[in-house]
Amino acid sequence: MATPRILSPRSALGACLRILLSRPYSSTTTSARVRLAFDHHQPQKTDRDQHDAPIIFMHGLFGSKKNNRSVSKALARSLERHVYTIDLRNHGDSPHAPRHDYLAMADDVVGFIQDHGLQNPTLIGHSMGAKTAMVLGLSEPDLISDLVAVDNAPIDATLSSSFARYIQGMRRIDEANVTRQADADKILQEYEKDVAIRHFLLGNLHRHHNSKTQKFRIPLDILGKSLDHLGDFPFKDPNQARFEKPALFIRGTHSAYVPDEAIPLIGQFFPRFRLVDIEAGHWVISEKPEEFMRGELRRITLDLCFPDRNS
């Protein structure tokens, strides 16, 4: 069952995740906005305008808009709101760009909101998408209504070494010029034993026109170079940037991404936050979609982030 407050510390997480609050964020690269690819999921029975208080759903690293398709359709149906699932830069069908950090990704989403004339949107993001939502909320608080951050926190952290391992495996697949996903999966087994994670990663394979060879659509070199700073959070001082609107933080109880030690800092950056635990790993939405959508979590989400709806 989801729990709205944490009653006991999980100190083991401290060994899994370093919180480096004093490390400065810097980037010497300039960035131009990327026009983001998206899917639009419309509610079945409503006269609500598509620009009025929509939901924008953002995926995590190596993900795409298709990962959240089922949940987005369910949200559109149950909340009677338009839902936009987007591909962040260097993912899915969105263009590639040499810079890949949270300030650039958040600015792309700002451009998406402005270009589509969206008013008072709710941001929902998982992992990398969660940090992107947090950064946008802190940098452009007037542009959004509220946010839901799934299994990430506004902290500097060391990414798991598994991400670099995945990059290595995907590069080997590209070099092998595979024609069948089964052959790609056989190579990837050397880098990841979990079949669900392999299936998730292999979802990025595609065939170019008139080619039998399958290649990864994501830019492995760009993402590989970005791994060292994708654990970072660009805002360091809550006295300089604060999101005063509702924010819902959801964490998996078997995940190390949101340690108890980070909760006070979440409250400083997001003073109107609520925290909900779901018994799951990092892939909270795919592991427990019903808990994400229904029951106590759905009630809290409706009350906190969608006050115009009846719970």
Side-chain angles (χ1 to χ4, degrees):
M1 178 175 291
T3 53
R5 288 294 174 188
I6 307 305
L7 301 178
S8 61
R10 292 180 287 133
S11 58
L13 292 180
C16 301
L17 192 63
R18 289 188 295 122
I19 304 175
L20 307 173
L21 300 182
S22 61
R23 185 170 65 185
Y25 178 88
S26 64
S27 176
T28 57
T29 310
T30 58
S31 176
R33 280 180 180 171
V34 164
R35 294 182 65 88
L36 302 176
F38 68 97
D39 287 336
H40 178 200
H41 303 286
Q42 302 184 43
Q44 295 176 342
K45 297 179 180 180
T46 182
D47 56 358
R48 191 167 204 163
D49 187 89
Q50 67 185 47
H51 305 98
D52 177 29
I55 297 169
I56 301 174
F57 217 130
M58 293 172 286
H59 59 79
L61 182 61
F62 305 138
S64 73
K65 60 183 181 294
K66 66 183 180 181
N67 299 139
N68 301 311
R69 183 178 298 157
S70 297
V71 169
S72 296
K73 289 180 178 179
L75 283 172
R77 182 173 59 253
S78 62
L79 300 179
E80 298 181 4
R81 296 176 69 180
H82 293 263
V83 179
Y84 296 87
T85 56
I86 61 177
D87 283 334
L88 297 172
R89 62 168 54 201
N90 297 315
H91 287 77
D93 296 320
S94 286
H96 299 171
R99 179 176 173 182
H100 193 82
D101 58 52
Y102 292 111
L103 292 172
M105 286 186 278
D107 192 52
D108 291 342
V109 181
V110 169
F112 179 84
I113 292 171
Q114 294 174 340
D115 290 346
H116 292 271
L118 306 182
Q119 302 296 318
N120 300 314
T122 291
L123 302 184
I124 302 179
H126 171 252
S127 195
M128 182 181 74
K131 276 194 172 177
T132 300
M134 287 182 255
V135 169
L136 194 156
L138 293 171
S139 60
E140 298 284 351
D142 293 336
L143 201 59
I144 66 173
S145 175
D146 39 46
L147 63 86
V148 180
V150 183
D151 214 49
N152 219 331
I155 57 176
D156 288 346
T158 301
L159 285 186
S160 167
S161 60
S162 60
F163 291 106
R165 191 170 68 246
Y166 298 155
I167 291 283
Q168 294 174 359
M170 288 187 282
R171 282 174 172 159
R172 270 198 59 196
I173 292 169
D174 267 356
E175 293 166 358
N177 294 318
V178 300
T179 57
R180 300 187 309 153
Q181 184 161 317
D183 296 330
D185 184 63
K186 186 174 181 180
I187 295 173
L188 201 57
Q189 287 178 29
E190 300 177 29
Y191 300 87
E192 175 54 56
K193 300 302 181 184
D194 189 315
V195 64
I197 295 178
R198 295 201 309 271
H199 181 76
F200 166 74
L201 295 171
L202 294 175
N204 288 292
L205 281 174
H206 76 127
R207 286 187 175 88
H208 291 288
H209 294 298
N210 302 321
S211 174
K212 296 182 179 179
T213 301
Q214 296 191 49
K215 299 287 186 179
F216 284 97
R217 67 172 70 241
I218 54 177
L220 298 177
D221 287 343
I222 292 173
L223 295 179
K225 292 175 182 177
S226 75
L227 292 179
D228 284 344
H229 61 253
L230 271 185
D232 294 354
F233 192 70
F235 291 93
K236 309 302 178 188
D237 187 356
N239 293 318
Q240 296 181 359
R242 187 174 288 116
F243 185 70
E244 304 280 359
K245 298 176 181 180
L248 178 64
F249 283 75
I250 301 170
R251 68 174 177 178
T253 56
H254 305 303
S255 171
Y257 278 72
V258 188
D260 285 348
E261 296 90 337
I263 296 174
L265 189 63
I266 292 175
Q268 293 175 45
F269 277 119
F270 303 92
R272 294 182 62 189
F273 89 103
R274 287 191 186 182
L275 177 66
V276 170
D277 278 356
I278 291 181
E279 189 174 349
H282 180 56
W283 310 96
V284 178
I285 300 172
S286 60
E287 289 181 37
K288 295 292 180 71
E290 292 190 1
E291 282 201 44
F292 182 79
M293 288 291 300
R294 298 188 179 93
E296 182 181 4
L297 176 58
R298 184 175 185 274
R299 179 182 60 78
I300 291 173
T301 304
L302 287 170
D303 291 345
L304 175 67
C305 296
F306 315 129
D308 60 320
R309 294 285 302 157
N310 293 322
S311 57

